[in-house]
Every structure is written in structure tokens, then in C-alpha cells.
Amino acid sequence: MSNTSNPNYHWWQTGVIYQIYPRSYQDSNGDGVGDLPGIIQCLDYLSETLGMNAIWLSPIYPSPMHDFGYDVADYTDIHPLFGTLADFDRLLDETHQRGMKLMLDLVPNHTSDEHPWFIESRSSRDNPKRDWYIWRDGLPSPIRAERSASGDEAGRGVGGEGAPPNNWLSHFGGPAWTYDEGTKQYYLHQFVKQQPDLNYRNPDVVNAILDVMRFWLDRGVDGFRVDVIGLMMKDPEFRDEPPNPDWDGVKPFDSLDHIYTANLSEVHDLILQMRAVLDSYDDRMMVGETYLPNDKLMLYYGTPDKLECHLPFNFQLILAKWNAAGVHKMVDDYEAALPSDGWPNWVLGNHDQHRLATRVGSDQARVANMLLLTLRGTPTCYYGDELGMENVAIPPEKIQDPPAINQPEIAHLVGRDPERTPMQWDDSPNAGFAAPEVNDLWLPIAPNYKEVNVANQLNNPRSFLNYFRKLLAYRKATPALLWGSYSSIDPGSRDAQKNCFVFERQADDQRLLVVLNFSPQDQKLSLPGLGTGRIALSTNLDRAGEVNLADFNLRANEGCIIGL
Ligand code: NOJ
């Protein structure tokens, strides 16, 4: 076996990150919601069965759960639903004992409206914490009156005296401002009204969040996924945002061009301060949540003398139209845009996006995972995607996600419950997520759980899960995949160019070819210059041995890794 430890690379470069949505992973106490002791029970699955290197937990802090934990009421404690700080310490210790890293979700842009900072801030205009959040007078002008929205329980902005200070919108529907009757001003919230935005122009707020980072780093966490990192600074003049000329008329939030609420240049100074905290510890990291095109995305790496995010999340595989030619170009463009010292990363799914197997189809999900685990850079996997879990249709009375509740007409587009359903462990009632007698799971189990579950798939040598395990094990043992170079290859005929994505990875004398058929038809590849190769792994786990690359047939929806 090749030597795959390399001191030139950090764990967050060679490792694979696995995202757990804690509410949905393993319920150990029968309340229908996953918890930390439940995750501890699954650590052997993560380290031994899968071979993951790092776990990222979506928020586990005390929260009234208006946005399922992304509304944090206390940054330095654990929600009783999930357990205690002692459970967390045990989770961290047991994770480390297995050689894995643990990353937390840091949610700095906003708190819960039940956070003591906000309770103080809204208590009076002269409270010392007033300026920790973003308060503005309403506009008296009747011209603006139509902007004054009526509130509702699902977290839309609420109008009151006058009209909202400007036209800014909430990502989750309605205005980004809510009127506070007590102090007769509006506060800003870019998500639900129970998630007021912090004011990072106040240095005390910056220091407070840096202290939160230190709290968890001192406890031993290995890094943070930083929620909406680009939204932390807003226009100090609170100018109206211009209309988006390219709006497709679907999501109201997209009707404006968000030049005054997102990706302001000042946010980079803030990120530098966060990075400095991380760098004062050993080998910790942050990955920023950044849905951006290449030119803007690359800014979040910083510069060699002013490093920012270790990884700014690259979500292009999630957003891409699933066709070979488009993905080929997208990967080449991303590679070309990376700063020379910027480490790439790729993501196929997360708790905000429709499930991979639903987006690309279950036939293509194996190809997509082969792509994720063979591209250059750090892969992040979403729990359940290793089984091919699909979106679950949520009955209307069970819908909980605020953007779906606020915008029923586009709930099918914006609702995120379908990709957050319980992990499918086995075919017992409740799929092994909770004890069989538990009645009220927070979200329903997928109807296909009797077939699509861990236990069942472990018994089937060619199952999705066993394929995923082999793929990951192969990656971990293969320097060309861990840190080798990347170059795409012209797959030959026009048909092949349209339907297949072919690339090479190389480290020292190890050369690998990855050939992926994105189409439901057989494809012929003609790569005479490459001679013969040996199939190391195929998506259906049913091919091996030597092949002639001048005349190579890829079956429908098939991918292969071929040693050259
Ligand atoms: C991005 C998170 O991924 C999403 O789940 C959350 O609703 C928003 N940020 C607000 O925190």
C-alpha cells in the first residue's frame, strides 16, 4: 500500500468531512429528536464502517428552534434536547480517540431573539447592548407604507409605526425588519424575525464572538463551519438594494441584488480576526458558508499574508446542471480560478439543499460520489448520502421549516424538511433512528427505509453503501487522489464530450484516470494516447482488470477509476 501520510498536508486537506444534522441522526432517549449520546453510539460507524476523518455538527446550542438551531440563545452551552456539556466533552473525546476531528457550526451573523444579548438590547434604547444589534427608525413616508408587512407566527418581518427603514428582504420571506413596539424602532433580521442580526461594527460584538470561538477551541474542537460568513457586514448607510434584472420571478428574496447586505469588503477584516484566533491554536480550521461564483468565492481565501478561510465552501456541484460537459467546464474553471495556495473543496449535499439522489437521480448518485471523492480537494458529505437517501415528501401538517411555512406557494422549492429526515439505520419501525415504540418523530421516516438502510446495505456486497465504503477506502490509500495534480482530458468523440467527464490525477509516478458517464446510455471512449489501464474501482463494483483505452466502453451511468 502506498504511503498516505504526508506532513505537507493538514487533516482538513486530505480528510473527508461528514455533516451530521443532529436532530436526525440517532435518538437515544425516545423523544423523537436525535441527540449527542445518540451520535456517540454511531462513532464506530463513522470511523470504522465509513472511514470518515472529520464530523461537522449542525448547531447543538440552546435555541428556541425557530430555525432549528440556527437561532442560538446561548453560544457556550448545549441544548437539553441534545444533551449536556458533559455529553459534548465525551463526544469530542470519543471522536478524537477514533482519530477523527470534530467541527462545530458557528452562527455569528445572528442570535436568537431569546439570547440574553438581544433581550437586553431590546429592553430600552439606552441599554448598553442596544448597539449590539441593528436598530433603525421606521420611515414615516406614506410612499413606503406599502412596505409595512403584516407579521405572522412563522417569523416574517412585522411592520409597525411608519414603514421598514429600507427595502431589505429576509431570505425566508417578507421584509428583513421587524418593528419593536417597546422601543419603537425596527431591528434587522436576514432570516426569521426571531433571528436578529448582530452589529459587527461594534468591536464589543466582535470580541464576544471571538471569545465564543476560544471557548470551544479551548475545549478541543478542531474547527468551525461558519454560517453565512459573507452576511456579517451591512451597508452603514442602509441604502435600498437595487432590483435584480435577472430575477426569474420565483423567490421574492432573489428580486433584489444584495449588494448592501452580502459580501461587503469589510467582512474580510472580520474574517481575518477570526482566522487569527484559530491560528493561535494548533491546526484548527474554518470553512465558510459561501454560495458564490468563482471570482467572489476566491476572495474568501484571503491573500498569502492575510489568510482568511481555510476552505470557503464550494457548492458548485450542488448548483450545477447535471451534465458532463457543464460539470467538466465548471471543474476546470474552478481549478483555474483558485489562488496558488488555496486548497480546493467540493460538496454534494447539505441540510439546505435537496438530496443528491433526488437532484441527480438515483442512477447517477454513484457517479456523483465518485466525482466528489476523486476531484482534487476536500470533500464534504451529507449524512445519508452514503446510502442514496432521497428527499422525503412531507405531509402539509408536518411541514416545519420557516421558509416553507412563510412562502407556501414555493414551499416545494424552498422547504428543507425533505432533506432533513431521520437517518435510515435498519428496517425496524423508526428505521433504527429511534426505538420502535417511539411515536412522534420530529420528521417522518422515508417510505423506502426498509430497503435503503445501513444494515440492509451492509449485507449486500454491491450496495450503494458498500460502494461508497470501497470508494472512500480507495481514496484514503491513494496519494494521487489525496494530493495529486488534476487535469481534465478530452474524451474523444462528440458524444463522449457531451456525456462523459474524464480527468487524470497524478502524484509522483502514480497516475489515475477517472472516467464518468453522466448519461443513461453506453458511451465509447477513445483515448489511444493513454494505452492500456487497469480498472481499480467501478461504480457497480463489477469490473476489474486491464482495459484498452483506445476503445473503452462505459456502461450507462457508470464511472471507473483506472490506474495508468
Ligand atoms: C445557513 C444555514 O445553513 C441554514 O440552515 C440557516 O437557516 C441559515 N444559514 C440561517 O442561519
Side-chain angles (χ1 to χ4, degrees):
M1 180 153 316
S2 324
N3 178 12
T4 50
S5 71
N6 184 332
N8 296 326
Y9 293 88
H10 297 274
W11 63 268
W12 50 268
Q13 295 178 296
T14 52
V16 180
I17 302 172
Y18 184 90
Q19 180 190 358
I20 289 180
Y21 196 68
R23 296 181 67 92
S24 297
Y25 209 57
Q26 179 69 69
D27 172 18
S28 74
N29 62 358
D31 61 3
V33 179
D35 46 51
L36 299 187
I39 295 172
I40 295 172
Q41 292 168 20
C42 304
L43 289 175
D44 286 339
Y45 169 75
L46 293 163
S47 67
E48 300 292 320
T49 310
L50 293 181
M52 286 293 161
N53 306 96
I55 303 168
W56 146 36
L57 301 179
S58 282
I60 50 176
Y61 318 105
S63 162
M65 296 283 169
H66 291 290
D67 188 17
F68 297 102
Y70 285 92
D71 46 328
V72 179
D74 181 349
Y75 284 112
T76 54
D77 205 349
I78 303 294
H79 195 302
L81 253 183
F82 296 127
T84 61
L85 269 174
D87 291 327
F88 177 79
D89 287 340
R90 193 157 64 86
L91 170 63
L92 185 59
D93 185 45
E94 298 238 2
T95 303
H96 284 164
Q97 277 179 33
R98 288 166 177 80
M100 293 187 293
K101 306 286 185 182
L102 188 65
M103 298 162 58
L104 289 184
D105 214 311
L106 182 70
V107 190
N109 179 66
H110 41 266
T111 66
S112 158
D113 63 349
E114 293 183 26
H115 194 294
W117 298 342
F118 188 73
I119 292 173
E120 278 196 53
S121 184
R122 90 183 313 171
S123 66
S124 75
R125 287 202 189 194
D126 52 13
N127 184 279
K129 292 234 164 31
R130 182 68 169 179
D131 185 47
W132 280 44
Y133 292 83
I134 299 173
W135 292 96
R136 306 286 292 167
D137 290 334
L139 293 182
S141 158
I143 304 166
R144 291 297 180 93
E146 77 272 11
R147 287 206 187 134
S148 179
S150 60
D152 62 33
E153 287 315 301
R156 291 171 73 118
V158 181
E161 197 164 279
N166 63 22
N167 71 348
W168 294 357
L169 294 173
S170 156
H171 284 255
F172 289 169
W177 297 96
T178 282
Y179 187 67
D180 177 55
E181 280 295 343
T183 56
K184 308 250 177 277
Q185 277 190 312
Y186 283 82
Y187 65 87
L188 179 73
H189 53 88
Q190 298 200 69
F191 295 90
V192 289
K193 69 179 182 197
Q194 296 90 349
Q195 283 169 301
D197 277 42
L198 282 161
N199 174 19
Y200 280 95
R201 293 184 189 275
N202 179 332
D204 292 341
V205 176
V206 178
N207 287 330
I209 211 73
L210 299 181
D211 278 346
V212 167
M213 293 175 73
R214 290 186 191 101
F215 174 88
W216 293 109
L217 293 167
D218 287 343
R219 265 194 136 79
V221 310
D222 299 287
F224 300 102
R225 174 266 191 190
V226 186
D227 193 66
V228 292
I229 197 164
L231 303 192
M232 294 169 73
M233 283 292 190
K234 295 83 176 158
D235 179 35
E237 293 172 43
F238 295 93
R239 284 169 280 187
D240 272 1
E241 292 191 319
N244 171 8
D246 302 323
W247 185 41
D248 57 8
V250 180
K251 296 182 195 165
F253 181 76
D254 296 339
S255 65
L256 299 180
D257 192 3
H258 300 290
I259 56 172
Y260 296 132
T261 50
N263 305 305
L264 268 66
S265 59
E266 296 107 302
V267 88
H268 296 283
D269 299 330
L270 199 52
I271 298 173
L272 284 175
Q273 296 184 64
M274 296 167 78
R275 173 71 185 239
V277 169
L278 289 162
D279 286 350
S280 68
Y281 292 77
D282 59 340
D283 215 12
R284 315 295 173 97
M285 66 86 84
M286 67 173 152
V287 44
E289 192 205 13
T290 41
Y291 282 88
L292 289 170
N294 285 332
D295 54 342
K296 297 203 173 107
L297 181 63
M298 299 310 159
L299 300 178
Y300 284 84
Y301 282 104
T303 54
D305 55 330
K306 287 185 166 179
L307 292 171
E308 297 184 24
C309 293
H310 299 75
L311 302 173
F313 261 141
N314 166 19
F315 294 122
Q316 298 181 59
L317 286 177
I318 292 183
L319 306 175
K321 287 214 169 78
W322 200 251
N323 66 71
V327 170
H328 177 170
K329 178 173 181 332
M330 183 193 84
V331 176
D332 282 0
D333 288 351
Y334 175 73
E335 281 278 350
L338 278 167
S340 55
D341 53 349
W343 185 253
N345 77 94
W346 298 96
V347 189
L348 277 180
N350 63 37
H351 63 296
D352 294 330
Q353 305 294 338
H354 293 322
R355 282 271 177 195
L356 169 72
T358 302
R359 286 194 333 263
V360 305
S362 53
D363 289 343
Q364 272 294 306
R366 288 187 189 223
V367 170
N369 273 292
M370 185 171 273
L371 179 62
L372 176 75
L373 293 177
T374 57
L375 282 174
R376 198 172 75 89
T378 307
T380 302
C381 306
Y382 185 50
Y383 85 93
D385 279 356
E386 72 272 23
L387 308 174
M389 271 177 66
E390 294 172 18
N391 270 14
V392 176
I394 309 293
E397 70 282 3
K398 282 264 184 189
I399 293 179
Q400 334 211 4
D401 191 29
I405 293 176
N406 277 344
Q407 306 168 100
E409 60 297 343
I410 52 169
H412 60 293
L413 294 176
V414 295
R416 301 167 298 176
D417 298 319
E419 61 263 21
R420 297 175 174 181
T421 59
M423 177 69 175
Q424 295 156 214
W425 294 103
D426 61 36
D427 64 3
S428 65
N430 292 332
F433 161 70
E437 63 278 9
V438 176
N439 273 326
D440 207 9
L441 304 190
W442 87 282
L443 280 176
I445 303 272
N448 66 3
Y449 82 93
K450 291 216 179 213
E451 292 77 48
V452 181
N453 66 63
V454 172
N456 187 24
Q457 293 199 12
L458 283 177
N459 283 331
N460 170 358
R462 289 187 184 160
S463 66
F464 201 113
L465 178 57
N466 278 324
Y467 157 67
F468 185 91
R469 295 172 64 209
K470 288 217 161 69
L471 178 60
L472 182 44
Y474 183 75
R475 176 193 158 89
K476 288 175 77 171
T478 306
L481 294 182
L482 293 173
W483 52 75
S485 60
Y486 158 90
S487 52
S488 62
I489 289 182
D490 183 343
S493 70
R494 195 175 288 182
D495 263 0
Q497 285 169 349
K498 186 167 157 239
N499 296 309
C500 299
F501 179 23
V502 179
F503 55 91
E504 187 177 329
R505 301 290 316 276
Q506 176 172 7
D508 298 322
D509 56 0
Q510 185 178 54
R511 286 176 66 203
L512 292 180
L513 195 67
V514 181
V515 291
L516 304 169
N517 181 358
F518 280 53
S519 80
Q521 292 91 30
D522 287 13
Q523 298 292 334
K524 271 217 173 315
L525 296 184
S526 176
L527 306 162
L530 293 178
T532 57
R534 180 166 286 276
I535 295 185
L537 192 78
S538 82
T539 42
N540 298 318
L541 301 177
D542 59 355
R543 277 178 96 165
E546 192 152 297
V547 291
N548 173 11
L549 291 164
D551 182 19
F552 179 64
N553 190 50
L554 261 181
R555 291 171 297 173
N557 302 306
E558 186 177 48
C560 294
I561 306 175
I562 300 171
L564 295 176

